[in-house]
Amino acid sequence: MDVFKETKRHYGHAWLQFLIIGIIIGIATYVGLKVGKVDVSGIMERLLDMLGGKEKVNEMATQSEHQTFIDIFSNNWLVCAQVIVFAFLPLPLYLATFAMNSAVLGMVAYIMGETGQGIFKSFVLGILPHGIIELPMIFLAIAIAMKVNNAVYKWIFSGGKNHQITIEAKKALLQLICVLTPGMLLAGVIESYITPILLQWGYR
């Protein structure tokens, strides 16, 4: 319980900011694609590349639910871990991950709408059940990365005298183990085992 209190106290404000800005970026991406009448196939190819290519996606479509779960969990966990690790570099690389994940929301919504899947039903049944956990976890990882990255700059500009980086590193590791890992496990279980059932029920 103390870990979750610390999460809310230390990262709550930054997390909420990233969440709101992320939603705005997602909506702006959707509107931009819609107004520009961008070719859906091009967007789909871009998303496929982000997922590892067409062969990887086809492989995931034919594999067992258990293997799908392992792939989804490991991929999402690595995204969070990499965002935090890269934050130790004196560059705001976490912002690129934040912008990309936010834009993907708009891209997926655009594809759903243009291919006749129905944005509302596809979103509620296919994305919301696991996304309501997965996306906040990613945004939390980005909020953690921001704190770490800020501490890195303080350490550099203080000539190594500011030791906030040690505190932030310990907090980041604790968050990764106690909050992000269980959160991504739960999101992976929902996406692998429950989401397919909901989609089957909704589109039968």
Side-chain angles (χ1 to χ4, degrees):
M1 187 61 72
D2 289 340
V3 175
F4 292 102
K5 285 182 180 178
E6 177 65 11
T7 302
K8 184 178 180 181
R9 185 192 70 78
H10 194 63
Y11 302 104
H13 185 66
W15 175 84
L16 185 59
Q17 282 184 326
F18 280 121
L19 181 64
I20 293 171
I21 296 171
I23 291 171
I24 292 172
I25 291 174
I27 293 172
T29 301
Y30 171 79
V31 172
L33 293 172
K34 190 75 174 176
V35 171
K37 297 180 180 179
V38 178
D39 181 35
V40 178
S41 60
I43 302 297
M44 291 180 71
E45 284 181 14
R46 194 166 183 179
L47 284 177
L48 284 174
D49 289 339
M50 291 171 64
L51 294 170
K54 189 178 290 185
E55 289 183 4
K56 178 63 177 178
V57 173
N58 290 336
E59 181 185 326
M60 289 181 68
T62 57
Q63 66 190 14
S64 68
E65 292 174 333
H66 306 305
Q67 188 58 50
T68 299
F69 163 72
I70 293 170
D71 286 348
I72 288 172
F73 166 70
S74 59
N75 179 69
N76 290 338
W77 186 88
L78 281 172
V79 168
C80 292
Q82 286 173 354
V83 165
I84 295 171
V85 169
F86 287 153
F88 286 91
L89 299 174
L91 296 168
L93 298 176
Y94 64 94
L95 291 176
T97 303
F98 165 65
M100 182 180 68
N101 278 278
S102 301
V104 165
L105 293 175
M107 292 165 69
V108 171
Y110 180 71
I111 290 171
M112 287 176 176
E114 294 300 303
T115 54
Q117 296 179 53
I119 296 176
F120 181 76
K121 184 183 283 189
S122 296
F123 177 78
V124 170
L125 300 177
I127 296 177
L128 187 62
H130 70 272
I132 202 169
I133 300 170
E134 181 182 311
L135 288 174
M137 290 297 104
I138 291 174
F139 289 136
L140 174 59
I142 291 166
I144 294 169
M146 184 194 73
K147 294 282 188 178
V148 170
N149 202 239
N150 287 346
V152 168
Y153 282 111
K154 288 179 181 177
W155 181 79
I156 291 172
F157 291 120
S158 68
K161 295 178 182 178
N162 189 307
H163 298 291
Q164 183 67 24
I165 183 61
T166 304
I167 297 170
E168 293 300 338
K170 289 178 180 178
K171 287 181 179 180
L173 181 60
L174 188 65
Q175 291 295 317
L176 180 63
I177 295 171
C178 298
V179 181
L180 295 175
T181 298
M184 284 308 186
L185 275 170
L186 180 57
V189 167
I190 294 171
E191 187 173 0
S192 305
Y193 300 102
I194 299 175
T195 297
I197 296 172
L198 292 174
L199 288 172
Q200 255 186 354
W201 170 77
Y203 286 98
R204 65 185 176 182

